[in-house]
Amino acid sequence: MMKLFDAHCHLQDPRIFDKAPQLIAATLDSGVVRFAVNGVSEKDWHLVKQLGESYPCVIPCFGLHPWFVAERTPNWLNTLKQFFESTPSAAVGEIGLDKGSHGKKVDFTDQVNVFRQQLELAKELKRPASIHCVRAFGDLLQIMKSLGPFPAGVILHSYLGSAEMVPEFASLGAYFSFSGFLMSMKVNKAKRMLKMVPSERILLETDAPDALPKSELGSLHRVEGDASFPKELQSQEISSAPVASASDALTLPKEALNHPANIHNLNIVSQWQVLIYVASLLEMTTEELAEISYHNAVRLFSYDVGT
């Protein structure tokens, strides 16, 4: 069985946290052997820490996401540092910049200040940082140039930036992680961008419970109890199994939850699964991409390749 490493997800998300044991078990059975679980605010860092302590397969990551910058407490940075002190295996994330529709609600200067402090902390701690960036890649590159390079690496999670910016980010220590969001990009543009990414810097992620890949329903794993699934599928009892192919013609709503096992599917060959889709654009086999991305993540998170 191929081994995969989910380089960015949110198992602490309130929409799926109570189902985390079942989701983790099902995903491990599918061949995904490690998860980098990213916190987004002071309110969920303790849950991320709890998952890391409960499951050896979880790499806890602590960070203040740009959407939640305005909600931070005056002592947020000291609290963040305390989580790293008590969690030696932790990475930094999710941090970043956002000028999209949601990000516009948060003062951008404030976002930049919080982001810089966390990026500086990641460099000081010599730990990788998982970065969210929406419509702010120019700002991101400028900040990274002013603080970099980053020998411990940074992860440009769900990367949808231009092909032209890839070499500059890579020269600063960036890795490029791809999720179901890649399927929103025009195929030719996505292929050109992927071809620019050095193979030793490719990662795969689910961003679960978001970024559900475009796919026929028969090839997707669903989160048990997800009320957004069509009524025809609500009777399905096992969350670890792909949904019934008889309902392939149905279209899932945007709010449908993404199961971490959807990083790939070993039983059904679907062009839309993240692994298969990226491999097809890179003109390599799924086995080759799985091995490359797995070893890249292991190296980035400093785990023994033999595990």
Side-chain angles (χ1 to χ4, degrees):
M1 180 183 289
M2 290 183 289
K3 288 194 293 187
L4 282 171
F5 195 128
D6 188 346
H8 186 105
C9 64
H10 302 278
L11 299 181
Q12 87 289 358
D13 188 289
R15 293 170 291 173
I16 62 171
F17 180 68
D18 62 341
K19 304 176 182 69
Q22 299 96 313
L23 293 177
I24 290 173
T27 309
L28 289 173
D29 285 344
S30 79
V32 182
V33 298
R34 293 196 185 279
F35 311 81
V37 177
N38 284 254
V40 296
S41 75
E42 292 166 271
K43 295 178 181 178
D44 72 3
W45 295 340
H46 69 288
L47 296 178
V48 172
K49 182 176 175 63
Q50 179 181 325
L51 286 167
E53 291 171 346
S54 301
Y55 301 97
C57 58
V58 167
I59 297 94
C61 307
F62 306 117
L64 183 55
H65 189 289
W67 292 359
F68 303 100
V69 161
E71 301 173 16
R72 72 191 187 279
T73 68
N75 201 44
W76 74 273
L77 187 56
N78 285 332
T79 302
L80 182 60
K81 290 178 179 179
Q82 288 169 10
F83 270 93
F84 286 115
E85 288 173 5
S86 64
T87 318
S89 62
V92 178
E94 179 174 358
I95 65 176
L97 303 171
D98 196 312
K99 286 184 174 178
S101 57
H102 200 135
K104 285 180 180 178
K105 301 173 186 177
V106 183
D107 181 80
F108 192 68
T109 300
D110 215 12
Q111 288 189 42
V112 169
N113 289 337
V114 168
F115 174 63
R116 287 185 66 98
Q117 290 179 80
Q118 294 182 99
L119 200 55
E120 288 171 348
L121 179 60
K123 188 164 185 179
E124 178 188 333
L125 296 174
K126 298 180 180 178
R127 301 186 194 184
S130 194
I131 296 176
H132 165 109
C133 186
V134 175
R135 299 182 182 178
F137 285 102
D139 302 275
L140 174 61
L141 183 59
Q142 183 179 359
I143 292 170
M144 286 181 59
K145 283 181 175 179
S146 70
L147 298 177
F150 300 89
V154 295
I155 303 163
L156 301 186
H157 117 79
S158 288
Y159 184 71
L160 294 177
S162 70
E164 290 75 17
M165 297 186 86
V166 167
E168 287 192 275
F169 279 124
S171 69
L172 292 167
Y175 287 71
F176 303 81
S177 187
F178 301 103
S179 71
F181 284 126
L182 182 66
M183 296 162 200
S184 67
M185 185 181 279
K186 290 183 179 179
V187 174
N188 289 341
K189 184 177 179 181
K191 186 171 185 176
R192 188 162 63 89
M193 179 266 287
L194 283 167
K195 292 283 189 178
M196 292 294 291
V197 178
S199 61
E200 69 273 13
R201 295 193 172 274
I202 294 175
L203 302 172
L204 298 177
E205 64 170 89
T206 60
D207 200 20
D210 296 311
L212 185 68
K214 293 180 180 179
S215 178
E216 292 182 342
L217 295 185
S219 65
L220 287 175
H221 292 250
R222 76 174 181 89
V223 175
E224 185 176 3
D226 182 358
S228 66
F229 259 72
K231 291 182 179 179
E232 294 89 331
L233 300 178
Q234 292 301 315
S235 60
Q236 180 125 352
E237 296 180 356
I238 304 175
S239 66
S240 62
V243 293
S245 58
S247 301
D248 281 350
L250 296 171
T251 301
L252 289 178
K254 185 177 180 180
E255 64 272 18
L257 302 179
N258 187 15
H259 192 299
N262 286 324
I263 196 169
H264 76 140
N265 190 299
L266 298 176
N267 302 314
I268 299 174
V269 180
S270 167
Q271 63 176 328
W272 296 113
Q273 297 303 329
V274 177
L275 172 67
I276 297 171
Y277 184 68
V278 175
S280 69
L281 294 184
L282 288 173
E283 299 171 351
M284 64 173 63
T285 67
T286 55
E287 290 79 9
E288 288 173 328
L289 179 58
E291 183 174 3
I292 288 170
S293 62
Y294 174 77
H295 285 282
N296 288 345
V298 167
R299 182 177 65 252
L300 178 64
F301 289 100
S302 301
Y303 283 90
D304 180 11
V305 174
T307 59

